Every structure is written in C-alpha cells, then in structure tokens.
Amino acid sequence: MNVKGIVCRKRGRSISLLHSSFIILHLSFITLLPCAKAQPGTWHSHPSFLSAQTLAAVQNKIYCASENGFFYFDPTANETTRLSRDDGFSENGISQLFYVSEQKRLLIGYRSGTIDLLSVSDSGEPGPLTTITLIRDATQIPGSKRINHVSRTGNDAYLACDFGIVVLDVVKSEIRDTYRNIGPNGTPVVVYATALTNDSIYASTSRGLLAARFTPTVNLAFFGNWKTVSLPPGASVQSVVGVNNRLYVAWPGQGVAERQGGRWTVVKPLPTITGLLATATEWIATAPDELQRASGVLMQNALLGEPKEITEAADSFWVADSLSGLLRLTGTAVQSVSPDGPASDVFQRLTADPSGQVLALPGGFSDDLKPLRRRRGFDRFSDGRWQNFLTSSLPTDFVTAGYNPTDQRTYLGSFGGGLWSSDNPNLAEVVNRVFANISSLTVDPNGDVWLATPTLDFGKATIHVRRKTGQFESFIPGRGDIHQLILDDSGFLWMRLSSYNGGGMQVFDPKTNRTRLLYNQSGEGDLPDRNVRSLVKDRDGLIWIGTDNGVAVFDNPAAVFTGTVNAYRPVFDRRRLLSGESVTALAVDGGNRKWIGTTNGIYLFNEDGTVLVENFTADNSPLPSSQITDIAVEPTRGEVFIATPNGLVSYGGTASEPAPVFAGITVFPNPVRPDFGGLVSVRGLVENTVVKIMDAGGQLVYETRSQGGTATWNLRDYRGRSAETGVYFVFAVSPDGKEGLAGKLAVVR
C-alpha cells in the first residue's frame, strides 16, 4: 500500500571539510526534497488513524475519520491520502461523516458543532468546501455541541448533537430547525442518534429512547410531543438503529430485537451480541471478534476490536474500528488500510535522541503513584515513519526512556514490567523485571543507566544504576516518591517529587550518599512553588525547573550541598518568567533555547529566558490543545514534538545540535520553487557559525548566526525585499574565522 506525503528521501552529496581561511568553492549542497516534517517554521500533525470513528463511501473512495485524523482510501489504487486543516478543512476533531450522493457532497460534522460541506469529483476527489459555523457560534447553546450522528429524509438531514437535534437543509445548506430540551418535562438531553420510520422519529438520548409522531402537524421542538419508549432489559440506547423504516436494538444475552406492534421481538438469536450497526440496507450485529448479518456470519477476525460504523461499497464491507482503524472485509479476508501513524493520540512522555528517533510513551502515573493509562507498548518515529510496538509480550505502561550511546540501545522503563531495551528498529527485550515499577530513567556519559522505582514509603532503595557491565547497584535517598530524575554535570541526581507527599525536589549524590531537599523556603531552594512539574538540564549545565508558579533556574548545581541554596527566576517583560503559569514541560534545543510547555500554550525563549521568540496556542497555531503534556526536540533536525491531550504535533524548529567540526552541510529546500513560502535551512554547522548569503554579483544579501547547528533564511534581503530568481552563494564561517564552507542555492520565483 502506498501512502502519499509520508516519507522524505535525501538526494545529493555533502560538502567536504575545509582546513583553511575563508575560501569560495563552487560545489553543490546536499539537495533535499521538500518535507513538511523538517522545514523550519512549519507544522505537521501526527494523528493516530487507528482510532477510527466514522466513515462514508464517496463515489469510488472511502473517507474515514479517527479521533484526530482524516483520510480517504482509493480501493483501485490501494492508496491512502491524508487530509487536514492544511487542505482547507475547518478543524481536526471530526465526529461524523455523511455522504449526500445526488449532490456529490460530503457532510463533515465536528466535535465543536462546525459543519463542512465538501464537494467531490466524479471519482471522489476533494473539491470546494462550504463551512457552516452557526451551531459552533451559538451563544445560547451551552456546553458541548458535538455532532454525533446524521440521518436523512428528503432534503432534510437530522443531526443528533450533544444538546438536541438540528435539521439541516442539504440543498440550501441552511439550518432549518433545532429541537432542544426534548427530554421528560423539558429536560436537556444528549442525542446520540436518530432513526426514522414511516410515521415516527426515534431519538437515542441520555434520558433513554424517545419517540414522536413524524408528520408536518407535530411540533418536534415541544418536549410534550416526545414519549419515552421502553427498551429490553440491559439494552443500551446507543445500540438502537433504523433500517428500511424498521427499528432494531441489541438485546444482551438474546440477540437482535425488532420493534413490532409496540413490543420488542427477537428476530436473530445471538447470545454473545455486544452491539448493533447498520448499513444503508441492513443491520449488522457485533460480537467478540465477529460481525454477523441476518443471513449468517459476515466475518470473524481478531482485528475487529470496537467497530463504530460500517458501510458496503466496491464489493467489500468497510469498518471504522476504534482499535484497528479502517478495515476492508472481502470474503474471509480482513485488511487494515489506515495510513501510517502512532497507535494513540494521547501520550504522557516523549523522548528524542541523537540517533534521530522519537519515542512516544503512553504510560504515566498520578501523584499518589498510581498508573494513569493502561495501554501496552510504545510508538517510535524514525526516518519519517511511525512504528507501533503493541505486541502482547510487552508490559503495560511504558513511562520513560533514554538512549545509551555506549551500546547504541534505547532503555525503556515500564510501570509494572521492569526495565527493557531496544535497538532501532527491533522490538524491545526485557533487561530486568526485579525493579518492576520504574518512574524515570536517565543515562550518564559512562553508559550507566540510572532508574527511579518510586514509593511513598521512606527508607527504601528507590535509586538504582545498571552499570555498563550489566551489574546493578541500589541507593536509599531521603525520599522515594520520585516522578522524574536527571543527572547534572557533577553526577548529582536531581529529582522532582510527588505533590501528594509534600512536593519539592531532592538532590542526591550517589558517590557520598548526600541528600538535599529543596522547597519554596528561602535558603532551601526558594522554589516558586512546591509543586514541581518538569526538569531539564540545559547545554551550559544549568538546571531549569517548571512549577505551578512559573520557572526557576539553579545556575550553580555543583554547590547544591553547600550552605544556602536559592534558585533564581528569569525576568521577562518586567515580571518573573511565566509567574502564575503551570509549567508542565521543558525542553532545550540545539541553540540552548528553552521550549516551555504550560496549560495555556507553548513558549520558546532565548537561552536565558529573557527574550520571547515564539508563543503558540490552539488559537494561533495548529496546536490541537493549549494544554501541553510533554515536549521533545529531535537534535539532528531540530524538529520539536509536542504532546497534548488532543493529539501529537511537531514543529520545524530553527535550531539543531551543533556539529563538533565542519564536516559537511545541508541546505533545503534547494532549489527554492515559486510556491515555497517557508524558511531555507542550513544545517551541519558548528555552534555560533556566521552564515552569509551573497548574490551572483558578490553583493551581501543576508547575514545571520546559527542557532546551534542550524541557520535559517526567510528569503528576504537586509531591506526586507523578497529574493529574486537567481543563484545565491552561501558561506559559513566558524567563530574563529579559520574554517569556511561554501555552496550554491538556486531560487526560482
């Protein structure tokens, strides 16, 4: 299966090292194909396509939406195409798809209440888009406005929403009516779905199954016209479906029941029934690993986890499964056809390492040291693709990871399964199960792996080290409720502690067994708040602390065990840095700049926190949520990965790890084509490299200094004028001025 727009391939060659003063060389840079994942200043979403929620057969394509992803599948070409806000769609959170075939328009309903009406070509390709925001923007409707289901009769589509029912004229693209507070005595209800029969409309709601006469003389906006309909014992109102003017429900322990003469009658015995779906022409019952039609078993397969919707097209059945993605069922064969992506949208921890891989870990734990999530395995992003490691042999809740350059393996700690290791691209293997519950790990320059095994009890060994020889050694620090640990340049372990047990921080010296507790008291750390959320060591060896009241820095970690110890708080815009903000994540890029995640967005500050470079929120960027869970910066490209409760995204950073010496540089895109509007990036530089851009006539166009190993050009000269078509020379000079690299960049306008 081919997937569009996923893999970037490198072409060309690098520039050789120069051991001389500034010299012009007429050599070519490495040329890279444009790649959204790596271009500075651009965003890329990483949704899970396995959490499929809704689908629609559109001409000869199958459109499918997961919790945060959207794509279509072409059965003829056996190819998937991703869709997103970059293609003009309103949002990420699609909750319902419904195809109006005679108009060749796809109705796209969102969790926010927004409606997109997508026109499609004869072959099902996306076309012009019309957006309706009346529901989303309705101030008189409180709470959630999610669109849960769409049914249709004539020109009217009935949208089941979290606040009631909306009637949409699909020809005029107008909202014609709204039915709210239709529950008993006018109570508000969540409407999960509607079903139409010859003379009645049924609504599956949070107050049970409601029904009303479906005639022009009945006012459906009046709650008194809606009556409660009893269900079979144990039946879920969300399993009620309408097919061919008939009403069916899944009756647990019995089978499929039909509403006949005011009673429910079993029409298909199926004791293992778990739910009921419907195509345009028939009901299909769900059971463990099984779908069953009235005529017999449709399919049995372990991929059938949690089917949400089903349709029939192109000689196959298509299932939107919230655990397995989009499935194609043909005869006895089941094929997963979802695009590449992580297995989940929610990750508690991200890590990145010099090998170029990013790990997304689903597990975490609360302040009282109880697991937050229960999902096996982990996800790895490498070479532009995601790999999902979800086999049953892996323990639940991987919560921490670290790369060991000594043996070139990644070590992973789980909450319940011990210590594991993996070498890319192989699956993880167990290293030690004795230390079962690992909350954090880090690797020192010698290749020793340090572990924290937290407990709320005092006096127990909660720090352990696996020497590179494979031997383990354990230590007893002052407190064992350890959420995160990092190593400073002196070999001291800095730990953030559980707020459940008093919060604060602890520093431990494993060579002397000294322990120092740091709190918000003057002389004893002077933290902005006792609740510490995040820790990071920057490129100068300083320890940065994120708390529920902003940021603090320990600028002399080596002196932490001597006398009075106070953190300082950087000042930005005449106030303490992010005072009043809960700082949930910290990361350092190759330019020693600080990426700071909060509950209100993400900030990029300069190296000392006094200059704001960028500020992103869900309102001014593609961030799916302003609540930041974690941040990791991939060092070789500078790509910044950001985890939120609503999904994972990455941003093309403008800094990368500096090279130790000039050994070749890359510039991309090259050539710059007319439709390119981003930043040109020069990478492979040493720290503080001066980069000069000159035109073919030898005139200086632009000059900058690298952030770590990367410099960028916005394709404008020093007067702000856009670069014209031509060949430009790029010169890179080390801070001492003794080494230089040169190459050519083509710009086409």
Side-chain angles (χ1 to χ4, degrees):
M1 179 176 65
N2 296 320
V3 181
K4 290 183 179 178
I6 295 178
V7 180
C8 291
R9 296 180 174 87
K10 297 181 180 180
R11 295 179 180 173
R13 56 195 179 92
S14 61
I15 292 189
S16 60
L17 176 65
L18 296 179
H19 293 285
S20 64
S21 59
F22 194 77
I23 299 175
I24 299 176
L25 296 181
H26 295 281
L27 299 176
S28 297
F29 287 93
I30 288 179
T31 301
L32 299 183
L33 294 179
C35 173
K37 295 182 182 66
Q39 288 176 354
T42 61
W43 291 85
H44 186 74
S45 61
H46 300 269
S48 170
F49 295 101
L50 297 183
S51 58
Q53 302 294 309
T54 181
L55 80 171
V58 179
Q59 301 300 97
N60 64 350
K61 306 287 193 298
I62 306 298
Y63 281 70
C64 182
S66 60
E67 284 285 352
N68 295 295
F70 187 30
F71 68 99
Y72 66 82
F73 178 73
D74 184 340
T76 303
N78 199 37
E79 182 177 80
T80 61
T81 300
R82 303 183 187 199
L83 302 169
S84 70
R85 291 169 64 181
D86 292 339
D87 302 297
F89 295 96
S90 295
E91 301 165 23
N92 290 328
I94 296 173
S95 56
Q96 190 64 203
L97 298 174
F98 185 86
Y99 185 51
V100 184
S101 57
E102 64 271 24
Q103 295 186 37
K104 295 181 184 175
R105 288 207 298 180
L106 179 65
L107 189 158
I108 305 169
Y110 293 89
R111 294 193 290 266
S112 68
T114 298
I115 300 169
D116 280 342
L117 294 171
L118 174 69
S119 298
V120 299
S121 67
D122 291 341
S123 61
E125 298 282 347
L129 194 71
T130 300
T131 300
I132 302 173
T133 62
L134 187 61
I135 301 174
R136 184 196 69 188
D137 298 339
T139 57
Q140 70 272 23
I141 301 177
S144 173
K145 301 172 184 178
R146 177 188 176 107
I147 299 172
N148 299 314
H149 180 263
V150 180
S151 59
R152 181 191 171 199
T153 179
N155 293 338
D156 292 333
Y158 289 79
L159 281 57
C161 303
D162 274 0
F163 59 87
I165 300 172
V166 173
V167 184
L168 173 71
D169 188 319
V170 296
V171 175
K172 297 180 179 180
S173 303
E174 295 177 351
I175 292 177
R176 190 171 59 78
D177 215 340
T178 302
Y179 312 142
R180 295 172 54 204
N181 304 322
I182 60 174
N185 300 315
T187 56
V189 293
V190 175
V191 182
Y192 305 118
T194 59
L196 301 170
T197 62
N198 289 326
D199 60 354
S200 300
I201 179 172
Y202 292 86
S204 300
T205 78
S206 55
R207 297 299 297 268
L209 182 62
L210 305 178
R213 290 291 302 276
F214 192 60
T215 65
T217 59
V218 175
N219 179 14
L220 296 180
F222 175 49
F223 70 87
N225 289 325
W226 291 87
K227 308 301 179 184
T228 301
V229 177
S230 61
L231 289 171
S236 168
V237 69
Q238 292 179 303
S239 69
V240 178
V241 299
V243 182
N244 295 328
N245 291 316
R246 296 185 176 185
L247 201 67
Y248 300 90
V249 69
W251 188 344
Q254 301 292 322
V256 180
E258 181 184 353
R259 184 79 173 170
Q260 299 175 350
R263 296 169 47 185
W264 294 100
T265 301
V266 175
V267 294
K268 182 69 175 180
L270 183 61
T272 58
I273 191 169
T274 57
L276 203 60
L277 306 174
T279 69
T281 58
E282 64 178 328
W283 57 259
I284 297 179
T286 64
D289 301 336
E290 179 179 287
L291 297 176
Q292 189 175 49
R293 302 165 65 180
S295 57
V297 174
L298 170 65
M299 181 58 61
Q300 291 178 311
N301 194 281
L303 284 176
L304 296 169
E306 292 183 359
K308 295 292 186 179
E309 288 187 9
I310 189 167
T311 192
E312 186 176 11
D315 299 323
S316 299
F317 281 90
W318 303 85
V319 178
D321 190 290
S322 64
L323 297 180
S324 301
L326 178 61
L327 302 178
R328 181 179 189 174
L329 284 62
T330 307
T332 59
V334 177
Q335 179 190 12
S336 176
V337 295
S338 294
D340 164 60
S344 172
D345 286 309
V346 181
F347 296 99
Q348 304 298 323
R349 189 75 178 148
L350 304 174
T351 66
D353 61 58
S355 70
Q357 68 177 4
V358 176
L359 295 188
L361 309 175
F365 48 92
S366 61
D367 278 336
D368 59 354
L369 304 180
K370 294 180 180 178
L372 290 176
R373 297 182 61 81
R374 308 290 302 182
R375 184 172 73 78
R376 292 183 179 275
F378 61 95
D379 294 270
R380 174 190 286 147
F381 183 78
S382 181
D383 296 325
R385 297 188 66 88
W386 284 96
Q387 290 177 287
N388 314 129
F389 296 93
L390 305 174
T391 67
S392 58
S393 63
L394 294 179
T396 304
D397 290 338
F398 278 112
V399 300
T400 182
Y403 181 72
N404 191 340
T406 303
D407 58 10
Q408 297 183 338
R409 297 184 69 86
T410 297
Y411 286 81
L412 301 104
S414 70
F415 211 73
L419 178 66
W420 294 63
S421 73
S422 169
D423 61 336
N424 191 3
N426 296 321
L427 192 64
E429 58 187 31
V430 68
V431 175
N432 182 290
R433 289 190 186 272
V434 174
F435 307 119
N437 294 334
I438 300 172
S439 62
S440 183
L441 67 79
T442 188
V443 182
D444 70 20
N446 296 322
D448 297 336
V449 182
W450 294 84
L451 317 172
T453 56
T455 177
L456 294 176
D457 298 330
F458 288 89
K460 292 189 175 181
T462 52
I463 296 294
H464 317 273
V465 59
R466 180 189 183 271
R467 304 296 183 187
K468 59 184 176 182
T469 60
Q471 300 299 311
F472 281 85
E473 185 179 354
S474 298
F475 303 87
I476 304 176
R479 281 175 57 180
D481 52 327
I482 304 164
H483 276 247
Q484 182 188 359
L485 62 82
I486 61 174
L487 274 164
D488 70 12
D489 291 342
S490 300
F492 301 158
L493 289 162
W494 292 69
M495 295 164 264
R496 64 181 181 96
L497 305 174
S498 170
S499 61
Y500 183 85
N501 211 25
M505 293 175 52
Q506 177 176 237
V507 187
F508 178 69
D509 179 5
K511 295 180 180 178
T512 63
N513 286 322
R514 290 179 295 176
T515 297
R516 181 78 185 258
L517 294 174
L518 303 174
Y519 297 107
N520 54 342
Q521 290 88 7
S522 178
E524 299 298 328
D526 199 22
L527 300 176
D529 192 274
R530 291 174 72 101
N531 194 10
V532 179
R533 297 279 189 175
S534 50
L535 300 174
V536 73
K537 184 187 78 169
D538 74 6
R539 293 177 55 81
D540 292 329
L542 280 61
I543 306 298
W544 287 67
I545 315 295
T547 77
D548 273 346
N549 188 28
V551 175
V553 183
F554 289 93
D555 59 352
N556 189 13
V560 70
F561 292 106
T562 59
T564 297
V565 176
N566 289 317
Y568 82 88
R569 300 183 65 181
V571 175
F572 167 72
D573 198 20
R574 293 182 295 181
R575 61 191 289 258
R576 299 298 179 95
L577 185 60
L578 298 179
S579 178
E581 294 265 17
S582 181
V583 177
T584 55
L586 290 167
V588 178
D589 67 17
N592 204 26
R593 302 179 303 177
K594 310 307 183 293
W595 289 86
I596 305 176
T598 73
T599 54
N600 294 307
I602 189 169
Y603 300 82
L604 172 61
F605 282 93
N606 69 336
E607 64 275 4
D608 62 4
T610 59
V611 177
L612 178 63
V613 181
E614 300 279 8
N615 173 215
F616 300 119
T617 68
D619 295 328
N620 68 8
S621 76
L623 274 176
S625 169
S626 294
Q627 184 176 340
I628 309 302
T629 305
D630 202 12
I631 308 169
V633 182
E634 195 284 313
T636 59
R637 300 186 309 274
E639 191 170 5
V640 183
F641 286 77
I642 306 163
T644 79
N646 294 338
L648 177 66
V649 295
S650 63
Y651 175 76
T654 55
S656 60
E657 288 293 314
V661 294
F662 280 139
I665 61 176
T666 62
V667 63
F668 70 96
N670 190 7
V672 175
R673 303 190 184 281
D675 59 349
F676 180 75
L679 299 174
V680 172
S681 174
V682 183
R683 291 180 180 160
L685 307 172
V686 300
E687 196 158 12
N688 290 320
T689 296
V690 174
V691 175
K692 301 186 180 207
I693 311 292
M694 302 182 73
D695 63 20
Q699 295 294 314
L700 179 65
V701 175
Y702 182 76
E703 181 176 328
T704 188
R705 189 176 295 272
S706 69
Q707 292 289 338
T710 297
T712 58
W713 180 33
N714 64 358
L715 293 170
R716 292 186 177 276
D717 65 16
Y718 63 93
R719 293 183 180 177
R721 298 172 300 187
S722 180
E724 299 178 349
T725 296
V727 175
Y728 293 81
F729 293 91
V730 182
F731 304 111
V733 185
S734 63
D736 57 13
K738 294 182 179 179
E739 294 179 305
L741 294 174
K744 292 183 289 186
L745 168 67
V747 176
V748 181
R749 290 303 195 190

